[in-house]
Amino acid sequence: MLNRIIIMGRLARDPELRRTQAGVPVASFRLAVDRDFKDKNTGERATDWIDVVAWRQTGEFVSRYFTKGRMAVVEGRLQMRDWTDKDGNRRTSAEVVADNVYFGDSRRDGEGGGYAPSYGQGGGYASPSAPAAPSDPFGGYGAPPADGDQFAELSTDDGNLPF
């Protein structure tokens, strides 16, 4: 069976980080995801409010680097959860259990800063103060410019394409 989902939207509020009794971190947050089509009568897009749960390192990552309004891309699986409300009624909720969470915007777009970090291990972005990797991930062409521009002219272009 296949149960994979990828959604992109803005956080409706800051993530809430809790820990289980065993000390396992779990973050919960809600994404506002616009539908692809507009309403015929109003001409506006409807928004779906999707609950997301991120466990362990992914949950800690989300709680540390994401805030209300940031664009996030969530990759995971859809899960149905049965629960009982305070009046004793049985309820069912759908939520996405996140395997990976990525930034959907740059820090410049999301927070007004000037740094747009590059992807790091574990589905997130590397911090600007992270040590350099032992091997050069840019294939000898050097790191991206410090001004945050991820597209730069290659100084040693030999004309050979890698494919």
Side-chain angles (χ1 to χ4, degrees):
M1 301 294 159
L2 181 65
N3 182 357
R4 298 300 301 162
I5 187 168
I6 299 173
I7 57 174
M8 182 169 120
R10 296 201 178 272
L11 271 74
R13 62 179 185 269
D14 289 345
E16 180 182 340
L17 182 67
R18 298 181 314 267
R19 295 194 181 271
T20 65
Q21 290 180 348
V24 178
V26 57
S28 57
F29 57 98
R30 180 173 281 181
L31 284 185
V33 179
D34 288 338
R35 294 187 182 174
D36 290 337
F37 54 89
K38 295 181 180 180
D39 183 271
K40 292 179 184 177
N41 298 326
T42 64
E44 295 189 15
R45 296 182 192 274
T47 301
D48 292 309
W49 301 89
I50 301 173
D51 292 322
V52 181
V53 177
W55 291 86
R56 297 175 183 77
Q57 292 88 353
T58 304
E60 289 177 331
F61 171 77
V62 167
S63 70
R64 178 174 291 165
Y65 295 108
F66 285 84
T67 57
K68 178 181 177 179
R70 288 296 304 260
M71 182 74 71
V73 179
V74 175
E75 177 185 34
R77 63 185 167 84
L78 183 63
Q79 175 175 288
M80 304 303 290
R81 185 169 51 90
D82 295 323
W83 53 282
T84 305
D85 67 12
K86 63 182 177 182
D87 298 327
N89 300 318
R90 297 279 297 155
R91 302 283 184 175
T92 301
S93 296
E95 61 190 10
V96 174
V97 178
D99 292 329
N100 295 300
V101 178
Y102 306 93
F103 288 108
D105 58 5
S106 67
R107 184 172 295 193
R108 182 179 315 138
D109 295 338
E111 297 175 0
Y115 177 73
S118 59
Y119 282 103
Q121 184 178 4
Y125 281 86
S127 68
S129 61
S135 63
D136 182 4
F138 299 101
Y141 295 111
D147 65 1
D149 184 8
Q150 296 296 311
F151 300 97
E153 292 293 323
L154 299 176
S155 60
T156 58
D157 185 10
D158 61 3
N160 292 329
L161 296 175
F163 49 88

